[in-house]
């Protein structure tokens, strides 16, 4: 040998700090949904190597509130909407970040309204708290 030292090891260094050596990657993406007004909705995706999750609706960051509950357990990211309304339709995105980069998955939610009333044999059945008739 010419003075070079060769060292061979049979162990792997494991990083327990939670910081990955690669950018986050979604293993399950968000899916488009058609939902009925008034129902609960859960958006869920799986991500690897993320240290931080953010949720957006139409490009605007969403914070935890009485209407929107966010959870992240290190792999599964969820956005729970307790009761969805017509104005909640739009594009929802989950952005995963760490010190190596970021990844994004998005979906569109369409909200269909509930039938407020229907007419059968000259009777009106109301399924709403209030209903106003305009008679001409």
């Amino acid at each position: 040998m010419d003075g070079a030292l060769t060292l061979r090891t049979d162990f792997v260094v494991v990083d327990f700090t939670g910081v990955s050596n690669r950018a986050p990657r979604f293993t399950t993406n968000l899916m488009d949904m058609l939902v009925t007004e008034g129902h609960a909705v859960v958006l869920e995706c799986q991500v690897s190597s993320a240290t931080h999750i953010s949720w957006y609706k139409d490009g605007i960051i969403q914070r935890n509130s009485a209407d929107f509950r966010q959870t992240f357990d290190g792999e599964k990211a969820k956005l729970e909407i307790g009761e969805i309304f017509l104005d909640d339709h739009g594009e929802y995105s989950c952005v995963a970040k760490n010190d190596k980069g970021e990844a994004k998955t998005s979906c569109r939610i369409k909200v269909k309204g509930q039938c407020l009333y229907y007419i059968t044999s000259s009777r009106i059945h109301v399924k709403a708290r209030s209903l106003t008739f305009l008679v001409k």
Side-chain angles (χ1 to χ4, degrees), residues 26 30 41-47 50-55 62-65 68-81 94-95:
F26 283 96
L30 295 173
V41 173
V42 177
L43 300 178
E44 183 177 297
C45 51
Q46 299 270 31
V47 63
T51 57
H52 181 76
I53 295 291
S54 299
W55 286 93
Q62 300 298 297
R63 305 277 185 216
N64 266 331
S65 67
F68 294 92
R69 182 173 175 258
Q70 303 172 30
T71 57
F72 178 59
D73 66 5
E75 294 178 0
K76 187 186 300 180
K78 281 187 185 182
L79 177 65
E80 299 175 65
I81 305 170
C94 180
V95 176

Side-chain angles (χ1 to χ4, degrees), residues 32-46:
D32 291 349
M33 302 173 85
L34 174 62
V35 297
T36 303
E37 181 182 26
H39 290 190
V41 173
V42 177
L43 300 178
E44 183 177 297
C45 51
Q46 299 270 31

Side-chain angles (χ1 to χ4, degrees), residues 10-11 23 30 45 52 61 72 74 78 82 88 96-97 100 103 107 114 119 122 131:
D10 290 312
F11 67 90
L30 295 173
C45 51
H52 181 76
I61 195 160
F72 178 59
K78 281 187 185 182
D88 290 325
K97 295 181 181 180
K100 301 293 183 190
C107 70
Q114 291 183 344
I119 301 173
S122 72
L131 183 62

Side-chain angles (χ1 to χ4, degrees), residues 8-28:
R8 182 165 188 245
T9 62
D10 290 312
F11 67 90
V12 176
V13 176
V14 179
D15 181 7
F16 289 101
T17 63
V19 177
S20 176
N21 60 356
R22 66 177 184 208
R25 182 176 68 88
F26 283 96
T27 55
T28 304

Side-chain angles (χ1 to χ4, degrees), residues 32-36 84 88-90 108-112:
D32 291 349
M33 302 173 85
L34 174 62
V35 297
T36 303
I84 200 153
D88 290 325
H89 76 280
R108 293 210 52 85
I109 293 184
K110 294 181 181 177
V111 182
K112 62 181 179 178

